[in-house]
Amino acid sequence: MDRNSDRHIISILMENESGALSRVSGLFSARGYNIEALTVAPTEDPSVSRMTLVTRGTEQIIEQITKQLNKLIDVIKLLDLTQDSHIEREHMLIKVRATGSAREEVKRMADIFRGTVVDVTDASYIIELTGSPSKLDAFIDTLGAKLVLETVRSGPLAIARGGRRLAI
Amino acid sequence: MSSSASAGDPITGAEIFVRSLQEQGVEHLFGYPGGAVLHIYDALYKQDKVQHVLVRHEQAAVHAAEGYAKSTDKPGVVLVTSGPGATNAVTGIADAYMDSVPLVVFTGQVPLPLIGNDAFQEVDTIGITRPCVKHNFLVKDVKDLATTIKKAFFIATSGRPGPVVVDIPKDVTAHRCVFDYPEAVEVRSYNPNVKGHPGQIKRAVDLILSAKRPMIYTGGGIILDHAAAELTEFARILGYPVTNTLMGLGGFPASDKLSVGMLGMHGTYEANMGMHHSDVLIAIGARFDDRVTGNIEKFCPHAKIVHVDIDPASISKNVKVDIPIVGGVKSVLGDLIDVLKSTAERPDADALAAWWEQIDEWRSADCLRFDRDGDVIKPQFVVETLWKLTEGDAFVTSDVGQHQMWAAQYYPFDKPNRWINSGGLGTMGFGMPSAMGVQFAHPDATVCTITGEGSIQMNIQELSTCRQYALPLKILNLNNGYLGMVRQWQEFFYQGRYAMSYMESLPDFVKLAEAYGHVGMQIEKPGDVEGAIREALAMKDRLVFMNFLTDPTENVYPMIPAGAGQNEMILI
Ligand SMILES: Cc1ncc(C[n+]2csc(CCOP(=O)(O)OP(=O)(O)O)c2C)c(N)n1
Ligand SMILES: [Mg+2]
């Protein structure tokens, strides 16, 4: 990857039509751009979906990406959130080995990271955790590969701080 | 949204389809029937407002529609069946996408309940065409059919034009609802910007007037937006040189002294040298294609660039520009002209005179000269003779290869929408079908196809369509016995290893033309060229297939080799 290539979070409002998602993913594969993460769900207006897309590229590539996305007929509006201050959150469910001495230790770590134990068995916990992607990474690192049984992450959600809005 | 057609009893989707085309003012529909569109064909049968043209292969239907659209200000319209009908159309759709041709292509689809079941003649047309359309629609409810058709025409013809596919399942064409064709539609997510930003236009004029070595570089956008008159006025006010891309030929009169001809890989020496040495480049409706720029690292090293384009994504895609103006080229040129007229400032006359002196020196290289002696027909001579005998005023379509470049080089166009070729995709087989579409749009005009023995065989079956509709095309086959463009690259870059570029076992084209009910001519000597073309042009109501046996070793010059800059042309 290029040295000048930065991480960008692009939020997209698009028509909630079947096929809209494949137009976006098809655009990325056809033009050789990469998608690091992608989340999509309908908004408060069910005819509109909001997509949060994480990609990397030089300034020039990001400019092309946003222009090409805007060119898709189904795309109503988009915003590169990384251009200004914004809140970024990711959700994770993580299944962790919890036997013997690890049982207490895992619980303690979850508390420190403000995670919640949402499922308990003799041998495992499921912990729910929300935060920035780097906080989630840190939690996984702290537990270590021996304890982590399974993870599922939502991909980041993001919203601009203050008055800046992405709305119709 | 208001309705124009009167409400009434429910009618079938097939009838709604036909009524919608009628409301839309569609006169010609190029297509081919099949199971999934039989209801539609039945509805077409019962009316006579929309003329259906039956081609012999769906690819040809799309190319015909492209020729129709490129030679007029109307979109081309196509109807094909599901499965193989749709896949056969894909090459044409991709071609139209690359050259921004406004088309609406209707494809039949299996009935809704069967979609996804691998039904007979089912393909995922929406999925297959997605990367090569401006937009596509699957109509899932007959109630949406009329509005979707209206939207398809709106999207295809506005902004940067392009093909729109409408996929219609068979059962939707049988379901009924009341017909209501909207007069206008709004697509909230699609609002192309036509008017250029006034501030940018002022900045552009300042830069343009400061130029010492200006170059106006224009492309297919001028043709698509019907802005030739504005471009001509703009260039004449300034007295600046104009070069056109392959797609932009005819956008500025080639016979005007300001014209330096085509630029790019096989453009003129003066155009490419002028580009390379320019200090201000005014790009209008052109997209800095790799066939134009040559090696991008070496492109226009001294120039500040103004770029006018309707498509923001075309701006600063390949080359970073200094003053972008997003807008329709016709509108922006109009504004540029207004600002130029309202200011007292004029270009630096001394600098401009010196620049023209330099350009004239490049011109004197006479880069398009060719050998006129000898007893084998030179392809350039055939094109030049056609130009002379048609007084440069014919519609000319071409296929893809050397003959295409010779057509572009030796048939200088003074008018827009007369030169019709496949530039972006470079589709062999484009020539004759597109000429059919041109002839439908201009029944009394002289329509010529310049082709090669390789390309013509990719859609030769359309000779039958031409017979059915008595299309009097003039086909000039520059038969060099080779896939000449491939042979040329093999000669230059593969030490003459001519892998698969010799066209063996050619048919007897004269007999072939005759078998289809047309006139065939064989021309073997340079001295017979003029007489043959004259004779063919005089046969106003017949298709004439002229098979010229041309020099098999002739190459296209001049040339920017791969990796070279515009100032590094190979001259003859
Ligand atoms: C459908 C398709 N297949 C392959 C090519 C690659 N190609 C470009 S030019 C050319 C040769 C064309 O031969 P011919 O029509 O005889 O024209 P000539 O170059 O000899 O004038 C080929 C094979 C193409 N452009 N289109
Ligand atoms: Mg040939």
Side-chain angles (χ1 to χ4, degrees), chain B residues 77 110 118 134 142 205 230 260 389 391 399 433 470 557:
Chain B
V77 190
V110 302
D118 302 321
K134 184 168 174 187
V142 68
V205 168
E230 288 80 0
V260 292
L389 295 180
E391 292 167 355
D399 264 301
Y557 291 107

Side-chain angles (χ1 to χ4, degrees), chain B residues 400-403 426 428 452-455 458 480 482-486:
Chain B
V400 172
Q402 291 182 313
H403 61 272
M428 292 170 67
E453 81 297 328
S455 294
M458 285 217 181
N480 52 9
Y482 277 100
L483 300 174
M485 190 55 97
V486 175

Side-chain angles (χ1 to χ4, degrees), chain B residues 58 105 201 222 237 252 282 322 334 369 388 439-440 537:
Chain B
E58 289 88 348
V105 179
I201 287 172
I222 299 290
I237 291 175
F252 186 77
I282 307 150
D322 300 280
R369 72 187 179 283
K388 205 174 73 184
Q439 191 82 75
F440 273 106
L537 290 171

Side-chain angles (χ1 to χ4, degrees), chain B residues 403-427:
Chain B
H403 61 272
Q404 175 188 28
M405 293 300 116
W406 288 317
Q409 292 174 328
Y410 296 93
Y411 198 109
F413 291 88
D414 278 348
K415 294 183 190 162
N417 304 95
R418 302 247 152 176
W419 162 242
I420 282 113
N421 85 130
S422 164
L425 197 66
T427 310

Side-chain angles (χ1 to χ4, degrees), chain A residues 15-16 18-19 22-23 26 30-31 45 47-48 59-60 63-64 67-68 70-76 168, chain B residues 97 126 130-131 133-137 140 155 160 187-190 311-320:
Chain A
E15 297 291 347
N16 185 10
S18 69
S22 50
R23 288 183 208 281
R31 293 189 182 266
D45 171 353
S47 72
V48 178
E59 200 184 319
Q60 202 210 341
E63 182 181 329
Q64 261 301 305
K67 283 174 169 180
Q68 294 291 349
N70 262 318
K71 216 170 131 174
L72 294 177
I73 305 286
D74 284 338
V75 169
I76 303 168
I168 300 171
Chain B
Y97 183 63
I126 295 296
R130 189 182 298 118
V133 292
K134 184 168 174 187
H135 197 56
N136 56 20
F137 294 98
K140 288 192 188 146
I155 292 170
R160 179 176 179 175
V187 181
R188 66 175 166 182
S189 55
Y190 173 70
D311 177 9
S314 280
I315 294 179
S316 292
K317 180 174 69 179
N318 300 338
V319 173
K320 187 102 189 116

